[in-house]
Amino acid sequence: EVVMTQSPATLSVSPGERATLSCRASQSVSSKLAWYQQKPGQAPRLLIYGVSTRATGIPARFSGSGSGTEFTLTISSLQSEDFAVYYCQQYNNWYTFGQGTKLEIK
Amino acid sequence: QVQLVESGGGVVQPGTSLRLSCAASGFTFSSYVMYWVRQAPGRGLEWVALISYEESHNYYSDSVKGRFTISRDNSRNTLYLQMNSLRAEDTAVYYCARGGIDGNYFDFWGQGTLVTVSP
């Protein structure tokens, strides 16, 4: 099983600032990496797939990068609606998710 | 617009069965791989099962293999998950999700249905 490890577990950032979330895979997942956002009581929402392609309707302030085993989700200027839990997911070898990063208001 | 609406969750005892449904609308259901993903209370996400377009290929996570069965009725635009021999560790919100047209990520999710397995 490909283990996905996200860091940090909690990230405190002020609105308007940049947030950088990390995701590491236990083995290469090629470019088969997605990011999801989940707010309390809601289903996850796809943000990014293929490492860096934004899903339909996702604002340009969300960007993804990386390759192989190291990946990053960057939110360039945090808006109030961005505070949520973020999950990375690999789909190169079945499907596994990271444990999530909670992005909270500083 | 794409909509996925799950139903069928509830409180059941260990060892019993439950069938979940997911009604799809707003897209050509038969053209997409479909998935079930679950989330235990306060926990992360776990892929459970997938089914190919015409039900020719089904795959399961090790944690549910042999107990759960995924199926679909393309004439009714509905996805199912038959869950047998339920255990306490199956307690979770169960989401149906649509596969991306160009990759096996999950591009749309339903709102989820809660399954609680408790004596």
Side-chain angles (χ1 to χ4, degrees):
Chain A
E1 175 181 309
V2 180
V3 177
M4 306 300 290
T5 303
Q6 292 185 242
S7 60
T10 303
L11 182 62
S12 299
V13 183
S14 300
E17 293 189 340
R18 173 189 298 257
T20 302
L21 289 68
S22 297
C23 175
R24 173 177 292 178
S26 61
Q27 62 190 73
S28 175
V29 298
S30 185
S31 61
K32 306 293 182 66
L33 191 285
W35 291 93
Y36 301 86
Q37 176 193 69
Q38 187 177 35
K39 297 179 180 179
Q42 295 186 16
R45 177 175 71 145
L46 176 68
L47 298 175
I48 301 279
Y49 62 93
V51 176
S52 60
T53 303
R54 281 189 303 277
T56 302
I58 301 304
R61 65 180 181 272
F62 290 90
S63 63
S65 63
S67 64
T69 62
E70 300 281 346
F71 303 93
T72 300
L73 174 69
T74 301
I75 311 170
S76 60
S77 178
L78 280 164
Q79 307 297 304
S80 57
E81 62 267 27
D82 299 336
F83 293 96
V85 178
Y86 291 83
Y87 294 95
C88 63
Q89 178 226 347
Q90 68 82 21
Y91 50 99
N92 186 61
N93 184 348
W94 298 109
Y95 315 91
T96 49
F97 293 86
Q99 80 282 12
T101 290
K102 182 180 180 180
L103 182 57
E104 64 177 27
I105 300 175
K106 186 175 181 180
Chain B
Q1 71 281 21
V2 173
Q3 281 201 318
L4 299 168
V5 180
E6 301 94 336
S7 60
V11 180
V12 296
Q13 294 192 331
T16 61
S17 300
L18 201 60
R19 188 176 86 153
L20 306 182
S21 300
C22 171
S25 61
F27 65 102
T28 305
F29 180 69
S30 59
S31 296
Y32 288 83
V33 177
M34 296 296 296
Y35 299 84
W36 287 99
V37 179
R38 68 184 180 184
Q39 186 171 35
R43 306 292 297 275
L45 299 161
E46 178 190 15
W47 166 70
V48 172
L50 79 87
I51 187 166
S52 61
Y53 316 101
E54 296 295 338
E55 206 171 358
S56 54
H57 300 287
N58 307 337
Y59 299 96
Y60 302 90
S61 67
D62 288 343
S63 59
V64 308
K65 196 175 298 180
R67 299 187 299 123
F68 290 12
T69 301
I70 189 172
S71 62
R72 66 192 297 164
D73 184 339
N74 287 341
S75 68
R76 297 177 182 270
N77 292 341
T78 303
L79 177 72
Y80 302 99
L81 185 67
Q82 177 67 42
M83 303 185 294
N84 298 332
S85 303
L86 283 162
R87 306 167 180 168
E89 55 264 36
D90 296 319
T91 294
V93 175
Y94 284 74
Y95 297 100
C96 67
R98 190 181 81 168
I101 198 69
D102 58 350
N104 298 329
Y105 48 88
F106 310 139
D107 67 353
F108 283 95
W109 299 60
Q111 85 289 351
T113 187
L114 176 61
V115 173
T116 302
V117 184
S118 178

